[in-house]
Amino acid sequence: MAVPVAMEKTNTEKEEHDNKPYILQLPDHITVHIFCKVPIKTLIQCQCVCKSWRHSLSNPHFTKDLFSRTPPSFLFHGLSGGPINPKSVGYLLVDLNKISSPNDFTLKLYKDPNVRNLRVGVLGSCNGLLCIYELNRRCFYISNPITSESLALPTLSLSPLTIASCERERIDNPYYCGFGYSPITNAYKVVLYLSSSSKSHEYEVLVLTVGSRIWRSIGNVSVFPSSRFQPYGVYVNGFLHWVGQYGNSSTLICAFDVESECFQQLSLPPYDLDLQLPANCLDFLDIQFTLGVLNGSLSLTVRSRSRSNITVWLMKDYGIHESWTKELEISSDILGSPSFSRVLKFTEDGQVLLLNGSHLQAYTPGTRSVVTIEVDGIPSLVDECVHIPSFVSLRGVITG
């Protein structure tokens, strides 16, 4: 008696299912629940196991849920001004929640395949995506180093006068850029300051919404980032932040609202009381400001070369000047190096993680002791940004 084709096919599929390892027979929702508890380094390997796992890892609902559960890591990369190393692996993703054995939680990621030049700058990280600027070619890219997806953004079309102005102001390094996200409209935006050719103390601001084809000018501003400090905006609370100047006098924090594309001004903490400086007086050769994000709050690290100390301030209630709180003060002599970069993290056990030159260090305030944390692969000239790895697809970003 002949067996019907449909029944034969069903039996074959059942045999194939039974021969699969037990973990591959689990329902999709159980598999996704397990994935949410697996380290990101292991999840990348899981993509290669089978098509169903790869599909689950690229599901938008899963990527959103996973992102909300993933702790921040730090993405280290070589400075754009450093020597070109053709053997550079690209980026080093380090989970600093595991400082006792950081090499076990370190992931090497290759640089954006679209970038022709090794001299690049990372403008910032939002929702697992990086914005990259390739020097000398004025090219911007959005990439996800976890999925290896990359998107080249529209090229800047500048007039000869503007190009000359950019070269005088060293925009190609690049200076005065930022990458942010608006949760209201689900839009990612790149912001760029250009020196005004007609007014010496004004900058034209250009904005590109990722997925669009044009850079839009939103007008000129009189408050502009200072080239003496960070060139890239720090994203927190829906705003991009730079330490800037108003004309030739006041120094403050420029805050750009990514949603409304309007600027606000935030005052600096009362660092001048520590340094015994007159109000609104700043010796640029003595003071170094570094903006960042610590414990989810806007942070400002103030370094005084003459007093050989470093203070870290947090704005605990965003936009409220009185909420600036001094969290830490360290003598530069303790760190044993003049190349101090920034505070990365306050750990749950009371330690402070620092990036000092190309070295990770753990500082214990109680004993005033510093221990170097060995991590393989950090370049000699290094910069970093807070990065939460994600499997989010660039297709969804462009559609959004």
Side-chain angles (χ1 to χ4, degrees), residues 28 140 261 325 387:
D28 287 346
F140 292 86
E261 300 183 358
T325 306
H387 182 71

Side-chain angles (χ1 to χ4, degrees), residues 332-347:
S332 300
D333 299 333
I334 295 176
L335 300 176
S337 171
S339 59
F340 170 81
S341 296
R342 61 193 290 179
V343 173
L344 300 181
K345 181 181 177 67
F346 295 126
T347 67

Side-chain angles (χ1 to χ4, degrees), residues 78-91:
L79 282 172
S80 59
I84 294 179
N85 179 9
K87 296 182 180 180
S88 171
V89 297
Y91 307 113

Side-chain angles (χ1 to χ4, degrees), residues 161-162 165 168 194-200 202:
L161 272 177
T162 305
S165 176
R168 287 197 303 271
L194 293 178
S195 178
S196 174
S197 57
S198 58
K199 298 180 180 180
S200 58
E202 286 197 357

Side-chain angles (χ1 to χ4, degrees), residues 344-355:
L344 300 181
K345 181 181 177 67
F346 295 126
T347 67
E348 293 181 357
D349 57 0
Q351 287 187 309
V352 182
L353 299 185
L354 313 166
L355 178 63

